[in-house]
Amino acid sequence: LTYSSVNLDISTHNNKWLISCFGNNRQTDNPSEKEDNISVLCSKQFNSHQQIKQRRYSTMSGKKTFDDVVYPAIEARDTGMLKVSDLHTIYWEVSGVASGQSVVVLHGGPGGGSMPDYRRYFNPEKYNIAIFDQRGCGKSTPHAELKDNNTQNLVEDIEKLRKHLGIESWFVFGGSWGSTLSLMYAIHHPDRVKGLILRGIFLCRRSELLWFYQEGASHIFPDKFEPYREHIPVEERGDMIAAYYKRLTSEDKEVRLGAAKEWCLWEMSTSKLIPDVKYIDRADNLEFAAAFSRIECHYFVNHIFFEDGFILKKADTLKNIPMHIVQGRYDVVCPMTSAYELNKALPHSNLVVVPDAGHSMGEVGIAEELVKISDTIC
């Protein structure tokens, strides 16, 4: 029996009614009194339904860690390298069970590369989990290469991987730039997408890029924005993306690496509601930063190689594809307005707003919601 959202265990023991409310027991000889006893007992325990909800939230979510809400770490079942063009070869892996529900995980950036933890958002006994590094990053080759590296190519790489793995159709899972690419893939190949699981929606419009790289997020994290801004001479600060692109494509390696570190550090410093030193320290990995910053800036200076607002203009293409969206309320990198507008354009989509989270899929609240979705659909 559920009473005012409090779980109650009511049973008979030696012909007496035993009422248990959060561990407080009382016995009565008269079954007719059971409802009064429940009311009295629960009113003593809590003053209101709202207090019960608040108590649950503060005691349960406050103690959870990332490891508590995702599946245990597993190894890849198989790995390989797939040649997708004369120049580019991409790294791929599969984990979980081969006979399971297929899902492809699209990492962020562009240029962010995949991580082993991506496997942990899915039940390994029910899912066939495909993960790959997009062109130029992670274990894909050549490293940090910009030639023939654009959104159209990445969309077709996903198709090439699907065919290579012998998968008819699959769920597509992606956050941040991964959400952009997921939506782009679904627009171009809707018949291959069983459903979309998205996080931290990024529609990659000019307004979103200016918010984060020019002015907007700078007002929330002025201390973190300052080193990013100061790396560029005053006379070039009118277009920070163009100024960084100039340096990230310089012939001088030291110039490239210096710009890569500052670009990467700005994003890592703002991705979580509570700053994470280990996450921020990724900017010190110059091999990672070189690919991440250089490829990301390359896409943004070229407006991701599509007209501005392309995804919302093509939203009708997605109306028959199940869509789940998880968005951190305080996401500074990809503010909630994009998730809100996508949900409005596609009212069949399910939008879950995590009240105490920023941008990262590693934040507990976001990770928990993503796992709930993957558990529900399979």
Side-chain angles (χ1 to χ4, degrees), residues 74-322:
I74 57 172
E75 295 300 318
R77 189 179 75 243
D78 194 13
T79 66
M81 301 293 290
L82 177 64
K83 192 170 180 63
V84 291
S85 75
D86 291 339
L87 178 60
H88 289 275
T89 300
I90 61 170
Y91 165 82
W92 62 267
E93 65 171 56
V94 286
S95 56
V97 59
S99 60
Q101 181 68 259
S102 292
V103 60
V104 60
V105 179
L106 306 183
H107 66 69
S114 61
M115 295 188 292
D117 274 347
Y118 290 173
R119 307 166 192 152
R120 303 180 67 187
Y121 291 82
F122 311 94
N123 185 334
E125 296 180 356
K126 293 184 177 182
Y127 276 96
N128 179 34
I129 309 156
I131 302 173
F132 74 100
D133 289 330
Q134 296 158 31
R135 295 190 181 201
C137 66
K139 297 177 183 177
S140 294
T141 60
H143 184 71
E145 178 59 59
L146 303 182
K147 185 181 178 182
D148 298 333
N149 197 340
N150 56 57
T151 307
Q152 292 88 339
N153 289 146
L154 298 190
V155 167
E156 292 314 307
D157 289 350
I158 300 169
E159 265 299 272
K160 290 173 183 175
L161 179 61
R162 181 189 64 78
K163 293 175 182 177
H164 178 74
L165 296 176
I167 296 170
E168 184 66 23
S169 60
W170 47 12
F171 283 94
V172 183
F173 177 104
S176 194
W177 163 255
S179 75
T180 317
L181 188 56
S182 297
L183 291 162
M184 285 291 194
Y185 175 71
I187 288 170
H188 288 87
H189 299 281
D191 56 323
R192 301 302 179 184
V193 180
K194 290 184 175 180
L196 292 163
I197 306 171
L198 309 174
R199 182 269 313 169
I201 299 299
F202 183 33
L203 302 178
C204 229
R205 295 169 292 183
R206 181 66 176 166
S207 59
E208 295 168 79
L209 296 174
L210 292 176
W211 155 267
F212 189 69
Y213 294 104
Q214 193 67 36
E215 184 178 11
S218 56
H219 292 278
I220 301 174
F221 289 94
D223 52 332
K224 304 301 181 183
F225 189 79
E226 185 175 7
Y228 163 82
R229 181 192 63 219
E230 294 299 316
H231 190 76
I232 303 299
V234 174
E235 60 271 18
E236 295 184 58
R237 292 179 190 170
D239 190 338
M240 294 291 284
I241 295 176
Y244 265 94
Y245 187 67
K246 176 182 175 182
R247 288 156 179 80
L248 290 166
T249 56
S250 170
E251 294 295 324
D252 188 325
K253 182 179 180 180
E254 293 305 313
V255 171
R256 291 199 308 272
L257 292 179
K261 182 175 181 178
E262 294 303 332
W263 176 282
C264 185
L265 187 60
W266 165 234
E267 185 162 335
M268 298 300 113
S269 298
T270 54
S271 288
K272 292 191 175 185
L273 182 62
I274 306 300
D276 184 336
V277 174
K278 290 182 180 179
Y279 200 73
I280 294 170
D281 285 348
R282 295 184 74 193
D284 290 329
N285 180 342
L286 295 182
E287 183 177 1
F288 166 79
F292 175 78
S293 304
R294 180 175 158 91
I295 295 173
E296 193 170 64
C297 192
H298 165 69
Y299 273 73
F300 297 163
V301 81
N302 287 290
H303 313 290
I304 70 164
F305 306 93
F306 277 89
E307 64 175 307
D308 200 41
F310 177 83
I311 292 173
L312 287 183
K313 292 174 184 176
K314 296 290 184 179
D316 194 57
T317 311
L318 307 171
K319 64 183 180 181
N320 295 320
I321 299 176

Side-chain angles (χ1 to χ4, degrees), residues 54-64 368:
Q54 291 174 353
R55 176 75 68 87
R56 276 181 178 171
Y57 186 81
S58 62
T59 58
M60 291 178 67
S61 65
K63 294 181 180 179
K64 292 180 181 176
E368 184 171 29

